[in-house]
């Protein structure tokens, strides 16, 4: 288990929206994640929108994993079951370790809102090169739930009994 600190420690976050139909103006989920991260005191170092393509997703995420200024990646979109939902396939091979409990907890919480439809969510998380990567559905409500009920606490050094900060590299802290 990680250790909890007595003070807030900001992390640097990159946000990726995976969508074949959304542009910057329609990206309510990506904008929500950027604003939510900034509101609690984290630094957003990059935000992008790309098409749902395994290799484009993998290329962007690989770049961020290798980038010393990115500690956390939050991906919105591409986690469903349509033929064009490729986020899990794109990022899973990049993980050094999967955070199995993230998807399970997300689906448990999501069940309260959408019932059994939550089984079609392939939300997942993992760590690669001391960078934590969270992938959540593209709906703004799903992003809010994931951020407010899971991610924000796990990115807070004060959260006990553990959080992800001890597992992240010492990039820009």
């Amino acid at each position: 288990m990680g250790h909890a600190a007595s003070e807030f420690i900001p992390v640097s976050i990159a946000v990726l929206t995976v969508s074949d139909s959304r542009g910057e103006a329609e990206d309510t989920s990506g904008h929500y994640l950027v604003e939510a991260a900034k509101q609690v005191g984290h630094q957003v170092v990059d935000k992008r929108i790309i098409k749902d393509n395994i290799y484009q997703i993998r290329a962007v995420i690989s770049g961020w994993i290798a980038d010393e200024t990115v500690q956390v990646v939050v991906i919105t979109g591409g986690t469903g079951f349509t033929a064009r939902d490729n986020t899990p396939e794109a990022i899973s091979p990049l993980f050094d370790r999967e955070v199995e409990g993230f998807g399970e907890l997300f689906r448990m919480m999501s069940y309260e809102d959408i019932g059994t439809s939550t089984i079609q969510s392939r939300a997942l998380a993992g760590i690669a090169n001391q960078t934590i990567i969270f992938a959540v559905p593209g709906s703004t409500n799903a992003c809010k739930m994931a951020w407010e009920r899971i991610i924000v606490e796990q990115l807070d050094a004060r959260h006990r009994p553990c959080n992800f900060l001890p597992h992240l590299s010492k990039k820009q802290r």
Side-chain angles (χ1 to χ4, degrees):
M1 295 280 176
H3 302 286
S6 60
E7 63 185 48
F8 179 80
I9 301 169
V11 296
S12 56
I13 300 175
V15 175
L16 179 65
T17 298
V18 174
S19 177
D20 289 335
S21 59
R22 292 183 189 176
E24 196 59 43
E26 301 84 18
D27 186 18
T28 56
S29 297
H31 291 301
Y32 167 78
L33 291 167
V34 166
E35 291 309 312
K38 288 179 179 177
Q39 186 175 9
V40 296
H42 296 303
Q43 303 164 358
V44 177
V45 295
D46 203 352
K47 179 197 178 296
R48 299 187 199 172
I49 300 173
I50 61 170
K51 299 288 182 201
D52 197 332
N53 173 283
I54 288 174
Y55 303 100
Q56 289 180 25
I57 297 166
R58 198 173 288 164
V60 171
I61 301 304
S62 293
W64 283 339
I65 290 167
D67 186 334
E68 286 297 311
T69 65
V70 178
Q71 295 174 285
V72 178
V73 173
V74 183
I75 305 167
T76 175
T79 61
F81 265 99
T82 73
R84 292 294 301 160
D85 289 322
N86 294 301
T87 298
E89 290 76 16
I91 66 173
S92 292
L94 303 176
F95 292 163
D96 297 328
R97 294 172 132 176
E98 185 170 348
V99 180
E100 287 94 356
F102 176 76
E104 294 156 351
L105 181 58
F106 176 85
R107 284 181 284 280
M108 182 190 81
M109 292 176 170
S110 179
Y111 180 78
E112 298 167 8
D113 293 332
I114 64 170
T116 60
S117 294
T118 193
I119 65 170
Q120 292 194 35
S121 166
R122 297 187 303 145
L124 74 160
I127 295 179
N129 192 29
Q130 296 180 296
T131 304
I132 183 106
I133 303 155
F134 297 99
V136 300
S139 83
T140 305
N141 284 341
C143 289
K144 285 180 181 178
M145 186 188 66
W147 179 266
E148 294 171 6
R149 296 181 65 187
I150 305 171
I151 299 171
V152 73
E153 287 183 347
Q154 287 300 302
L155 297 182
D156 189 334
R158 301 166 296 185
H159 182 72
R160 297 180 190 275
C162 59
N163 58 75
F164 277 109
L165 267 67
H167 306 290
L168 304 180
S169 62
K170 305 296 186 245
K171 305 172 191 174
Q172 269 202 350
R173 280 207 219 158

